[in-house]
Amino acid sequence: MILSMLEQALIALPLLLGGYITLSLLKLPDFSLESAYLFGAVMAYVAKDCPLPCILLSATLGGIVVGSIVATMNQLLKLPFLLGAIITNGLFHGLTQYILGTSMASFHPALPCSEPLLFSLIAVSLIAILGLLLRSQMGYSLAIYGNNPLFFQHHPISGRSVLYFGVMVGHGCAAIGGSLFAISNGLVDLTMNFGVILLCLTALVVGKSIIRTESPNLLIPLVGLIAYFCIQQTLLQLGFNLKYFNSFQALFVLGTLCLLQKKKKLSLDHLGV
Amino acid sequence: MKLAFLFALMFASCTEAPKPSIAILTPTTHPSLEQIEKGFQDTIESTHPGQYRIVTYNAQGNKTLMRGEIEKIAREDHALVFTIGALASQMTTEVFNKKALETPVVFTAVSDPSALASGKHVTGVQQILDFERELDLALQYKPNIRSILLVLNPMEPGIAKDGQEVQAILSQRGISLIPIEVFQTNELIGKVSPFIHNADAMIVLKDNTVVSGLDPLIKLCNKAKIPLIASDLDSPDRGAAFGYGVHEKEFGVEAAAMALQILQEKIAAGDIPVRPVSNFTFKVNRDAAIAQGIALQ
């Protein structure tokens, strides 16, 4: 049980890391993560005959494209971020349909090693890269932007670049998550992105309630994700009627937030993460 | 000595062998899927009452949850796994293949089983449609059909291929086809209305998007007095003039028959060929047909 839970957590970890950057650090209502997740899988599928690094690069670029579009809508076209994310979801819904050409496609790329090892290597690499990033000036700038986007008006750093950079990195990570999910399940499905934002929010809320720190910390998505799959597998093990899993998930987030707010141990922003 | 015997007897009664279990994996809650599940369960229960423990896993349209459920099914010692629909079937066979599991998998309602991992542990029921016969029967009620509106979501699995098949059949008969592609239920009225008066009939395939939004199409057909021909048997009950297909329950019944061959007769799943459900029925909703301009005797 623990091994399969860890494997699932490794698959979803890039998505959660991306969600942590855009939802938690930048504090953006970034529902276009769902598009990046799917588009990453579709772009990985497009490069299916190439070696694995090219497949992952193709997926990451797909995510970066989604991120750059939503950031452009927000920064250059001055649309509210949520509206930009919704429009981006609409655009990429059509684009993924066009590229994939069907609702479901088999996907079996050649892997250089076993899946668990591959997913572990990707997870370790991403954590190392993002860990270094968050310790850099840009990393702190992401957190500062989330707390006060106007901060950069009075400093020689461009707030726009911080947002572009954060959103593109976040979406790139989410896209890698989508490609790993597709590799692991042997298929790309046009509905595979449904509900991933709820997974991100739930895991981040749980992670934040366990790891209480105001500074950027990758343990939040990591612990949150493991806790999420622990809860999911425990419910399955207990024979909980999974017809109501989504409601349970929503109630669980609500309960956790209410409890922590009541005890004044957690300050909530507009996303609660 | 007697006491020891008594204890041994009690122990034996307590350690009765557990029932073999069958896991059902269904992708979401939907009337058709529920009928398939019911058909499977009822068949197993009626032929071998109380002999198997059936556990249902419903993924509620959540792919992460579906993967978690497949992982749990893989960990448990199920005698057989029954999967409904292409996505659940493909994910299950993929995960089982990777884990080198030998648990037999019986799938159902899959249009293109070639996409499933081949192997000696997988078999199932294919979903086929007979458009030739469907159109023949519909034409008996309205022989002067010259053009048909086909409303479809080409992104649904197998629907684009079915659409091409319908087009080929109609072109052989000199009937023109007006295909209207929709991707969401809320597009139906807007996209179909401008063409409704150019057609003598409307046909819908076994297309989840279109069938779930059938009611506005029924209203349009009633207004334009053209018959709505559906490729399933539930749609006439909702107001389509004609429906041609198999009862959804049959997909479960047929799959249960295969499951019992594996469990009772110990035949390897791979030795049972994939087969379709073939007992098609043509259903006419008299009131709807009259409302849609069909003169019934």
Side-chain angles (χ1 to χ4, degrees), chain A residues 73-244:
Chain A
M73 284 194 194
N74 177 243
Q75 290 296 305
L76 296 182
L77 303 180
K78 303 293 175 200
L79 294 183
F81 201 94
L82 182 59
L83 182 60
I86 292 167
I87 293 173
T88 305
N89 279 348
L91 285 175
F92 278 88
H93 181 67
L95 192 59
T96 46
Q97 281 185 349
Y98 176 74
I99 295 173
L100 199 61
T102 174
S103 64
M104 202 176 87
S106 291
F107 181 44
H108 297 95
L111 303 181
C113 57
S114 70
E115 273 184 15
L117 180 62
L118 174 71
F119 297 159
S120 307
L121 286 173
I122 292 170
V124 169
S125 311
L126 275 178
I127 287 173
I129 294 166
L130 293 180
L132 285 173
L133 174 75
L134 292 185
R135 297 262 173 278
S136 68
Q137 193 184 19
M138 182 54 98
Y140 283 111
S141 300
L142 295 174
I144 293 167
Y145 186 94
N147 286 310
N148 180 14
L150 302 177
F151 173 87
F152 298 98
Q153 283 180 353
H154 311 292
H155 291 82
I157 307 169
S158 157
R160 179 179 287 177
S161 330
V162 173
L163 182 123
Y164 262 98
F165 179 78
V167 170
M168 289 199 294
V169 170
H171 282 71
C173 290
I176 293 176
S179 65
L180 295 190
F181 188 81
I183 289 171
S184 171
N185 292 305
L187 58 92
V188 181
D189 167 48
L190 278 179
T191 61
M192 63 181 267
N193 59 341
F194 289 4
V196 295
I197 202 79
L198 190 57
L199 185 157
C200 283
L201 290 172
T202 311
L204 289 173
V205 165
V206 174
K208 205 169 179 183
S209 66
I210 299 169
I211 310 285
R212 293 199 195 115
T213 171
E214 291 302 319
S215 56
N217 192 335
L218 290 180
L219 277 176
I220 293 173
L222 195 64
V223 170
L225 192 60
I226 292 171
Y228 176 88
F229 281 110
C230 275
I231 295 164
Q232 188 199 74
Q233 288 295 314
T234 308
L235 289 175
L236 280 167
Q237 213 62 36
L238 291 173
F240 180 81
N241 190 340
L242 291 168
K243 270 186 178 180
Y244 312 113

Side-chain angles (χ1 to χ4, degrees), chain B residues 241-258:
Chain B
F242 311 119
Y244 184 70
V246 295
H247 290 281
E248 298 294 336
K249 205 177 168 184
E250 293 295 324
F251 285 106
V253 174
E254 194 74 30
M258 283 176 156

Side-chain angles (χ1 to χ4, degrees), chain B residues 158-169:
Chain B
I159 292 297
K161 202 175 145 194
D162 291 345
Q164 286 166 1
E165 200 182 323
V166 170
Q167 186 151 28
I169 295 167

